[in-house]
Amino acid sequence: MLELMGRAAVMVSDPTILATIAVSSFFGLFVGAVPGLSATMATALLVPLTFFMEPLAAVAAIVSCTAMAITAGDIPGCLIRIPGTPASAAYTDETYAMTKRGLAAQALGSSLLSSVIGGLFGAVVLIFAAPLLAKIALGFSSFEYFWLTLIGLSCAAFIASEDPLRGILALLIGLGTATVGMDTVTGTPRFTFGFYQLMGGLSFIPIMIGMFAVAEILKSLAVGTAREAFAEPQKVQGVFHGVGAILRKYWRNTARGSVIGTLIGVLPGAGGDIAAWISYATAKRFSKTPEKFGTGHPEGVVEAGAANNAGLSGAWVPALVFGIPGDAVTAIAVGVLIMKGLNPGPQLFEAKADTLYAIYLVFILANLLLVPFGWMAIRLARPILAVPRPQLMAFILLFSIVGSFAINNAIFDVGVMLLFGVIAFFLERMRIPIAPIILGLVLGPMVESNFLTSMTIADGNFSGFFSRPIAGVLGVVAILVWAVPIVGFLRGRRAPLGGTAAGGVE
Amino acid sequence: MSLAGGVFGRHGRVLGEVATGAGFAALGTTMALVADGTPTIPGQAYGPGFFPILIGWAMAAVGVLIALRALRGKHAESGDPPDRLPSYPAALAWTVIGLVGIVLLFEPLGFVAAATIYLAVFMMLLKVRPLPAIALAAVASLAIDLLFVRFLLVPLPPGILSAFLR
């Protein structure tokens, strides 16, 4: 293992890799710090550039960009009460309250350092848990993968949305979109209507760019924020003063946030943002002084800050081991990995162990670099937030167009980007969540091909899906994941008229 | 739908949700029926049409459930703040229509020309002064053209500027 570490260290210290990490971190810093630009959007726009990078550089770019973006998202939330990324929304009010009390430096410093700790914890879990899981996965056949991907889809539908029906609808939209093109098993064209451009299906990255970048622009034009200048943030001095004391006092929160964040990140469909909300709520629930929450109290900030970065690393565990993404960013990353010949799965851990170790080192390095880069981001907050919005949106449109084109050198993909941008705009107005759509898009083909393969092996006999021990367990879990909400829904409808519905739709 | 909610109040919201449910019910049904025509694998019970049909009917069912739920007066969300009508309708329309134009005119116009026009008009519709808008759009498009064509070897069409650019 030491020898592998050594080789990995050599790979990572290549100047190209280090330069990629630096540039991606800057990019992530900017995107994270500007409200309206999300980490997912940054990753989607980064992918066309990763085409021309080596596999390790491509992964390094995505990892450092997103780690930096999700950390930088705390800055505008704290200083001007507008979160830079959705993950920071959980504790924006709290950090802003601290700013009003003159404690902005402490708020930013403590959330930065707790983010680093959370991210490192998640990276360590990734480093040790992933190979263990991979060993188990070596024995997996199409039956196990079928149940696993089905569970992944179900989690996405139920966790990512407050309304299960809308979550399921979003999932179905994603699954349906994935069926366009030739099917994976027989090559029969589906829903192509004679268009040759659709034979290969709808390209994933243009869809992502459309749904995250174009839709966001359409939304700000519709809602009226397109010309709003951000309020000028105050200058922040002495970022790390007193932060050590805060972290020492609330070490339990940092620890719990890291653990919860990693676990939630591992679940498909739930990523850094949900982890942040859940751990902020947990911090309040288990706090000795819950009344202080909301007045400018670092306890929740520290816990949620650790959770959202931990969630980022955690999401890579199922992505690397099974090819099942833990969140939208890893959904994109899985596509990039496959493109670069680093097919996720147990084989990756055997055949490309040195690249994997290099990836682990990149995780550690990216999280450690958060400290100097984060400090720099805090100091640069004022010029960054002064960029006027129309010009910013123009840049995003430019990158979106050329990025979507560059995937297949096809202008058709720009059309796909536009179509899905408009679709996502309307879906958002109907309060239909976007995350399950992506999971449906990515996992749909996997579920289908594993199902058909398994059916062929079991000779049309459905009981074959429970014949192997692990498959049987996973099958039961999958059934439970669906049974529990359905039972809750039915119970709610039968609740007495006078009382409140338990677990019902309300 | 939030737009409907603002204009027509609570009944508008119910209507919007019923319309959404009905719309997806129709879409799902169409999908299932279209997929029904897919050829099957001889000798196998489940062919390439199986999943699309399944997804189609499931979508139809969920659509019906959403519409029914709205009709029974139970909303999944509480109180929707009424939406204003689009604040920048011209820019919004241009964003979409301009992109359609780009898709259709990409080859003849070329990337730089098309992008410059598109972005300049976009910014001007957002009240950026014409000269800075055009200058910024032109410089940015040229820079991207240089980056992607020279360094990343992506064949962006030069179009009407081919004499200058290639």
Side-chain angles (χ1 to χ4, degrees):
Chain A
M1 175 160 146
L2 271 178
E3 189 200 313
L4 273 174
M5 276 289 195
R7 281 213 298 270
V10 168
M11 286 171 83
V12 172
S13 47
D14 182 308
T16 323
I17 303 281
L18 293 175
T20 310
I21 294 180
V23 171
S24 310
S25 297
F26 268 112
F27 178 60
L29 182 164
F30 181 78
V31 168
V34 175
L37 305 180
S38 65
T40 319
M41 187 202 282
T43 315
L45 291 174
L46 196 57
V47 167
L49 294 175
T50 62
F51 274 2
F52 310 95
M53 300 182 197
E54 284 170 34
L56 181 61
V59 174
I62 294 178
V63 170
S64 23
C65 168
T66 44
M68 194 61 226
I70 216 168
T71 312
D74 295 343
I75 300 173
C78 179
L79 297 178
I80 60 175
R81 205 164 168 244
I82 307 177
T85 57
S88 313
Y91 46 95
T92 291
D93 281 336
E94 191 79 65
T95 45
Y96 187 63
M98 284 180 79
T99 303
K100 284 199 290 199
R101 284 170 56 192
L103 296 171
Q106 283 200 337
L108 289 172
S110 50
S111 79
L112 175 64
L113 287 182
S114 64
S115 295
V116 173
I117 296 174
L120 283 174
F121 178 81
V124 167
V125 168
L126 172 68
I127 294 172
F128 288 105
L132 285 173
L133 275 177
K135 281 215 174 63
I136 303 175
L138 266 177
F140 273 26
S141 69
S142 60
F143 295 102
E144 283 84 7
Y145 274 107
F146 168 72
W147 286 123
L148 203 59
T149 44
L150 192 63
I151 293 175
L153 283 181
S154 318
C155 283
F158 292 127
I159 295 178
S161 165
E162 11 155 77
D163 175 18
L165 266 185
R166 280 186 169 87
I168 299 174
L169 184 63
L171 193 62
L172 290 169
I173 294 173
L175 289 172
T177 310
T179 59
V180 175
M182 293 191 294
D183 93 288
T184 44
V185 179
T186 63
T188 319
R190 297 188 291 198
F191 300 115
T192 52
F193 305 117
F195 284 103
Y196 74 89
Q197 299 100 329
L198 290 177
M199 289 290 265
L202 291 161
S203 269
F204 180 62
I205 293 296
I207 293 179
M208 295 288 288
I209 295 179
M211 290 207 291
F212 284 98
V214 176
E216 186 62 39
I217 290 178
L218 292 176
K219 181 171 123 181
S220 68
L221 290 174
V223 161
T225 52
R227 274 182 46 89
E228 253 176 43
F230 301 117
E232 207 180 308
Q234 52 166 267
K235 204 145 184 251
V236 178
Q237 308 271 37
V239 172
F240 295 116
H241 271 172
V243 166
I246 294 180
L247 285 178
R248 265 195 300 275
K249 184 169 179 199
Y250 299 111
W251 68 271
R252 268 198 199 85
N253 300 76
T254 313
R256 195 169 50 213
S258 305
V259 173
I260 293 181
T262 310
L263 285 177
I264 294 181
V266 169
L267 286 177
D273 18 359
I274 300 187
W277 281 103
I278 293 183
S279 58
Y280 185 76
T282 317
K284 194 168 177 187
R285 182 107 176 290
F286 289 100
S287 166
K288 295 196 179 74
T289 54
E291 68 283 354
K292 282 201 192 162
F293 277 65
T295 64
H297 185 54
E299 190 174 352
V301 173
V302 159
E303 180 150 351
N308 62 17
N309 280 65
L312 277 188
S313 308
W316 283 79
V317 174
L320 284 178
V321 181
F322 302 112
I324 298 179
D327 62 8
V329 168
T330 40
I332 300 174
V334 165
V336 171
L337 284 173
I338 296 177
M339 219 167 35
K340 298 289 180 187
L342 290 172
N343 288 349
Q347 275 70 33
L348 185 64
F349 290 79
E350 311 252 297
K352 303 263 183 136
D354 45 353
T355 312
L356 258 190
Y357 269 84
I359 293 179
Y360 299 152
L361 275 184
V362 167
F363 265 92
I364 308 257
L365 190 61
N367 277 291
L368 287 174
L369 281 176
L370 286 178
V371 179
F373 276 108
W375 175 84
M376 202 178 348
I378 296 172
R379 304 294 254 155
L380 289 177
R382 288 170 113 209
I384 291 178
L385 290 172
V387 176
R389 289 225 225 191
Q391 285 84 334
L392 189 63
M393 291 198 293
F395 268 118
I396 295 174
L397 279 173
L398 183 63
F399 266 92
S400 304
I401 294 170
V402 74
S404 301
F405 176 82
I407 307 290
N408 293 315
N409 295 337
I411 195 65
F412 182 78
D413 285 343
V414 176
V416 170
M417 173 194 87
L418 172 64
L419 177 68
F420 277 86
V422 172
I423 289 176
F425 173 70
F426 283 113
L427 287 180
E428 233 214 319
R429 303 216 116 193
M430 298 183 226
R431 312 267 278 231
I432 295 176
I434 303 289
I437 301 181
I438 303 167
L439 271 283
L441 262 176
V442 173
L443 293 180
M446 280 179 80
V447 175
E448 183 177 15
S449 63
N450 280 305
F451 176 76
L452 291 175
T453 312
S454 307
M455 267 307 194
T456 313
I457 295 176
D459 222 5
N461 195 352
F462 195 67
S463 66
F465 280 84
F466 295 92
S467 56
R468 297 161 55 101
I470 301 186
V473 171
L474 288 175
V476 170
V477 172
I479 293 175
L480 280 176
V481 168
W482 281 87
V484 170
I486 291 179
V487 167
F489 175 72
L490 289 173
R491 274 238 206 98
R493 288 177 63 197
R494 290 205 200 104
L497 287 165
T500 45
V505 181
E506 205 55 57
Chain B
M1 238 166 115
S2 334
L3 255 180
V7 182
F8 296 111
R10 207 181 140 265
H11 290 295
R13 272 212 307 282
V14 175
L15 203 68
E17 207 157 316
V18 173
T20 307
F24 278 105
L27 180 65
T29 312
T30 314
M31 195 178 156
L33 291 175
V34 168
D36 209 17
T38 325
T40 49
I41 315 172
Q44 291 289 336
Y46 301 101
F50 176 63
F51 256 61
I53 295 175
L54 189 66
I55 296 169
W57 288 127
M59 191 186 282
V62 172
V64 167
L65 282 174
I66 289 181
L68 283 180
R69 182 178 69 183
L71 282 172
R72 282 158 119 259
K74 287 185 179 190
H75 287 281
E77 88 261 31
S78 57
D80 210 4
D83 257 295
R84 298 165 287 192
L85 291 165
S87 301
Y88 298 100
L92 189 62
W94 174 251
T95 307
V96 177
I97 296 172
L99 268 178
V100 175
I102 288 189
V103 173
L104 295 172
L105 298 171
F106 205 56
E107 285 292 328
L109 266 185
F111 169 71
V112 175
T116 304
I117 298 173
Y118 178 63
L119 295 176
V121 173
F122 177 79
M123 285 190 274
M124 288 193 279
L125 285 173
L126 287 173
K127 307 209 177 90
V128 178
R129 290 200 326 273
L131 213 54
I134 297 173
L136 186 61
V139 169
S141 307
L142 277 167
I144 292 290
D145 187 82
L146 186 71
L147 173 68
F148 274 78
V149 174
R150 289 292 152 81
F151 292 108
L152 302 179
L153 302 177
V154 173
L156 291 171
I160 56 180
L161 295 174
S162 49
F164 302 107
L165 290 173
R166 305 280 182 261

